[in-house]
Amino acid sequence: MSETVRVSLPDGSAREFPAGTTVLEVAEAIGPRLARDTVAGMVNGDLVDLRTALTADADLRIVTAKDPEAGDVIRHSAEHVLADAVKRLWPGTPIDAGRQDHSEKYQYDFRFPRAFKPEDFEKIEAEMARIITEDLEFDRQEADRAEVREVMTEDERNEMLQRIYGTAFASKKELNAYFARLEELKRRDHRRLGRELDLFSFHPEAPASPFFHPRGALVYNALIDLMREKYAEYGYEEVITPQIFDVELWKRSGHYENYRDDMFFADEFDEVEERSMSVKPMNCPSHCLLFGGKAHSYRDLPRRIADFGRLHRYERSGVVTGLTRVRTFSQDDAHIFCTPEQIETEITALFDFIFEIYRLFGFEDIKFYLSTRPENAMGDPEVWRHAEEVLQRCLESREDLEFTIKPGDGAFYGPKIDFDVHDALGRAWQLATIQLDFQMPERFELTYVDSDGSEKRPVMIHRAILGSLERFYGVMLEHFGGDLPPWIAPEQARVLPITDAVNDYAEKVAAELTKRGLRADVDRRSEKLGYKIRDGETTKVPYLLVVGQREADDGTVSLRLRHRRDEGVLPLDEVVDRIVNAVETRSLKL
């Protein structure tokens, strides 16, 4: 190790320091005020704590409380203060590992003899405040993967722990903004919207498995209809595959070895047929069976096989959350079997497909990640290296995007590209995925006859765009705050008769809307118009068509758009055409 290191600073200057100098010591050398404000450092683009030693030449940016990265550091620090406070108040309390993601909050799990009470939280906050005034230093200890895995496994076997969440910010202003954001999150919570809009529900008899109501099923099926329409344009063929498979299939595919803890198995062994069965957690092995069921020529490829089959995965009760983490779901799942020469063309088309779909939902801010070979990877490392290079080349060929590499985060059968979509509140959701698989075709001995008459292995591309339909449903609801675009709204238009005397005309208006393929209804209740309008707003119907005697006489309607004032009295045909156009073009606007 060199005796000195060269530290390059954001202003273009560089300084020499003894090797082992910490980030904080560099800040102190620059100035005492900067040192007081320092919370961390960015070393070669990586966020590190302020006592990290610099052992080689590096680019360094001092992170202060005013910088965007400071929040993560502050909350991570508060997390450890929380653990210290609980230990001081109740000595001997066992604690679990903290949180990895500190973008909004921190947490610790505690094994405590009783449930924590509100007054306990007050004591904890007061103790944390005292600890902060002591101005103690943090002592960092590192452990290898094996040690961490052993500790985490033992925690999972132990009795239920209690989790305490918290958050922290550099200023009162940031804290107030956070609470305002929490209120907006509550307003948009898809679980609340699901109840209020009569879309779906959950019941203890089917844990973590949603029941979609008639209105909710209309939205669900609209998502499927969208994908089916695009499948026709992009050359996909849809299949239907079984729910239950012999366990031997999952052993052959590699899922039994790498995924069995997340699968549902039959309770009893079938002694007559001497076999065990399981419910499928994914479609890829069944698509391999389909492909391998007949001979293929290179002229048949690519084959794009799509499947909306229902999947089941054992998600532990502590992590299931509304629609975003369930045990039964469908995916807009597909697998492309192609020649090696077709990979880049297929992935380029997938990018176009994905962007086209996301634009329909107003998802413009997308982050891209390339995940490479994990520890449990199947197959030859050289094949993996080639697959990673192919995906990286596909990403680099698009000048309109930048990507981040996630080392070791690939699937056990191949590297992948993940798409993180940011919703209206700026939250990231991992939705689409493209996975390049050379392993499963090998395991299932899939072949095609090439132009020279030789047998070759196809390449398998796993892909989903919406991902889990259930999860996407929840993300979409929160993104729009329940105000779904007209094309996917369960009720697209509602006719509001002012009096019973015009009910016949109201029915005629609704019939005209229905005839044009719209989902429309009449509010036939003998209520005041104001009540009907408020109910239409509450149920988030995009178009309210108010009709009175004048409208009935003139063949018009008074159009009211969701969350807006009246558009005025307009001819019925003009209003119907307007709504039909918004639906057919899948417009985000009313």
Side-chain angles (χ1 to χ4, degrees):
M1 184 176 71
S2 173
E3 293 184 359
T4 63
V5 294
R6 179 181 174 85
V7 177
S8 300
L9 300 170
D11 63 1
S13 65
R15 297 193 182 193
E16 297 282 340
F17 290 94
T21 298
T22 66
V23 170
L24 179 58
E25 288 168 341
V26 173
E28 289 171 341
I30 296 173
R33 180 172 180 180
L34 179 63
R36 285 196 302 272
D37 295 339
T38 298
V39 296
M42 292 290 289
V43 176
N44 298 327
D46 294 327
L47 186 66
V48 300
D49 66 61
L50 50 79
R51 291 181 179 82
T52 297
L54 303 174
T55 58
D57 295 351
D59 294 327
L60 171 64
R61 175 166 66 85
I62 301 298
V63 176
T64 71
K66 295 180 180 179
D67 291 317
E69 302 88 353
D72 282 33
V73 179
I74 291 169
R75 285 180 283 278
H76 194 177
S77 300
E79 186 173 73
H80 295 298
V81 175
L82 164 66
D84 190 15
V86 172
K87 284 277 196 179
R88 292 189 186 194
L89 290 168
W90 296 282
T93 301
I95 64 174
D96 195 7
R99 187 179 179 87
Q100 273 194 320
D101 178 10
H102 298 95
S103 58
E104 286 194 341
K105 55 190 172 185
Y106 59 85
Q107 71 186 46
Y108 255 115
D109 292 340
F110 301 91
R111 195 174 311 133
F112 206 64
R114 59 169 174 79
F116 282 113
K117 297 180 289 187
E119 50 266 36
D120 294 329
F121 301 136
E122 294 176 6
K123 292 179 182 177
I124 293 169
E125 285 188 3
E127 188 64 28
M128 289 176 70
R130 279 192 289 272
I131 293 170
I132 291 171
T133 62
E134 294 176 10
D135 198 24
L136 302 173
E137 291 188 3
F138 288 100
D139 180 26
R140 179 187 179 93
Q141 295 183 359
E142 296 189 5
D144 60 30
R145 284 179 178 268
E147 291 174 312
V148 173
R149 187 179 291 114
E150 182 179 347
V151 170
M152 296 305 292
T153 301
E154 181 182 349
D155 288 337
E156 187 163 312
R157 287 196 302 264
N158 278 320
E159 66 268 26
M160 187 66 70
L161 304 175
Q162 294 188 68
R163 176 166 296 172
I164 296 180
Y165 285 109
T167 192
F169 296 89
S171 69
K172 189 73 172 178
K173 181 180 178 182
E174 290 179 85
L175 182 62
N176 290 337
Y178 173 75
F179 284 129
R181 177 180 168 82
L182 282 185
E183 289 302 313
E184 181 64 12
L185 287 172
K186 288 180 185 177
R187 187 184 73 81
R188 291 174 178 259
D189 190 318
H190 75 275
R191 293 164 295 185
R192 183 181 68 82
L193 290 170
R195 292 191 301 271
E196 293 180 356
L197 302 180
D198 192 23
L199 300 175
F200 57 84
S201 59
F202 289 86
H203 298 274
E205 292 81 0
S209 303
F211 289 69
F212 286 95
H213 303 181
R215 292 171 65 88
L218 285 169
V219 177
Y220 195 97
N221 288 328
L223 291 172
I224 293 177
D225 291 343
L226 166 66
M227 298 310 299
R228 281 189 171 136
E229 176 187 314
K230 297 303 177 184
Y231 284 165
E233 295 178 19
Y234 283 89
Y236 286 78
E237 48 189 344
E238 187 179 338
V239 300
I240 299 173
T241 51
Q243 295 281 111
I244 307 292
F245 286 93
D246 192 309
V247 168
E248 292 303 314
L249 175 74
W250 309 109
K251 292 181 179 178
R252 186 177 183 185
S253 69
H255 287 93
Y256 187 82
E257 178 183 354
N258 294 284
Y259 208 79
R260 65 180 177 271
D261 290 343
D262 298 298
M263 295 173 62
F264 285 102
F265 294 92
D267 286 340
E268 297 181 3
F269 180 75
D270 189 335
E271 296 181 358
V272 176
E273 298 189 17
E274 296 185 348
R275 65 200 310 195
S276 295
M277 308 298 287
S278 68
V279 184
K280 67 176 177 183
M282 62 273 298
N283 294 305
C284 38
S286 62
H287 291 184
C288 287
L289 294 179
L290 278 175
F291 185 90
K294 69 174 188 176
H296 290 83
S297 161
Y298 71 97
R299 293 187 179 91
D300 303 326
L301 304 183
R303 278 198 70 187
R304 308 178 188 96
I305 300 176
D307 194 336
F308 290 105
R310 185 141 294 277
L311 307 176
H312 292 78
R313 297 179 186 174
Y314 178 63
E315 297 283 3
R316 286 155 181 76
S317 58
V319 300
V320 293
T321 308
L323 294 179
T324 57
R325 199 77 177 264
V326 292
R327 290 179 175 172
T328 175
F329 59 96
S330 290
Q331 291 180 323
D332 63 326
D333 194 18
H335 297 90
I336 302 170
F337 297 89
C338 64
T339 70
E341 296 77 19
Q342 293 170 332
I343 293 173
E344 294 185 41
T345 300
E346 287 301 306
I347 291 178
T348 296
L350 281 176
F351 271 96
D352 295 337
F353 192 173
I354 291 167
F355 293 151
E356 180 181 355
I357 294 297
Y358 287 173
R359 278 194 294 270
L360 295 175
F361 298 93
F363 292 136
E364 301 290 346
D365 184 7
I366 305 172
K367 298 289 187 277
F368 309 89
Y369 299 92
L370 172 59
S371 298
T372 60
R373 186 174 183 268
E375 288 185 354
N376 64 338
M378 298 190 307
D380 184 349
E382 187 61 25
V383 174
W384 272 84
R385 185 191 62 77
H386 171 66
E388 291 165 2
E389 287 177 353
V390 171
L391 288 185
Q392 184 160 344
R393 195 158 59 242
C394 291
L395 286 162
E396 290 173 344
S397 68
R398 300 192 71 98
E399 297 179 356
D400 57 338
L401 61 84
E402 296 179 355
F403 64 94
T404 302
I405 295 179
K406 288 186 175 180
D409 207 36
F412 65 87
Y413 47 77
K416 61 179 180 171
I417 299 172
D418 287 331
F419 296 67
D420 275 16
V421 169
H422 291 76
D423 64 13
L425 295 182
R427 296 172 298 175
W429 302 91
Q430 194 275 304
L431 297 179
T433 186
I434 299 172
Q435 303 170 354
L436 188 54
D437 182 1
F438 288 83
Q439 310 302 328
M440 222 165 283
E442 187 72 31
R443 286 191 163 228
F444 283 87
E445 300 180 344
L446 305 181
T447 62
Y448 68 93
V449 178
D450 205 358
S451 57
D452 61 2
S454 64
E455 279 196 346
K456 292 186 177 177
R457 289 265 186 263
V459 179
M460 188 176 181
I461 301 174
H462 307 239
R463 57 108 284 209
I465 298 176
L466 303 180
S468 157
L469 294 177
E470 280 72 6
R471 185 167 182 268
F472 186 87
Y473 198 126
V475 171
M476 176 184 68
L477 274 181
E478 296 193 2
H479 175 61
F480 290 117
D483 293 328
L484 297 176
W487 67 271
I488 203 169
E491 185 180 357
Q492 294 163 329
R494 184 181 296 179
V495 186
L496 311 181
I498 295 176
T499 67
D500 291 346
V502 294
N503 278 354
D504 288 345
Y505 179 66
E507 297 288 351
K508 178 183 175 182
V509 171
E512 187 64 26
L513 293 164
T514 303
K515 186 171 69 175
R516 296 288 297 277
L518 299 172
R519 297 186 286 271
D521 202 356
V522 178
D523 189 337
R524 303 170 182 84
R525 295 172 296 177
S526 298
E527 299 284 354
K528 292 183 179 179
L529 179 61
Y531 178 89
K532 292 182 178 182
I533 290 174
R534 285 193 298 274
D535 186 68
E537 291 281 343
T538 300
T539 51
K540 299 183 181 293
V541 180
Y543 301 97
L544 300 177
L545 283 58
V546 179
V547 296
Q549 193 59 55
R550 184 181 67 171
E551 286 79 15
D553 293 340
D554 298 341
T556 59
V557 297
S558 177
L559 178 63
R560 187 183 185 95
L561 304 182
R562 181 174 54 199
H563 307 319
R564 302 188 202 169
R565 290 184 175 275
D566 291 340
E567 293 278 295
V569 177
L570 301 167
L572 175 59
D573 290 347
E574 181 181 325
V575 171
V576 174
D577 287 344
R578 175 176 176 172
I579 300 173
V580 168
N581 181 65
V583 170
E584 289 182 346
T585 61
R586 293 194 171 98
S587 172
L588 291 172
K589 299 179 180 178
L590 302 185

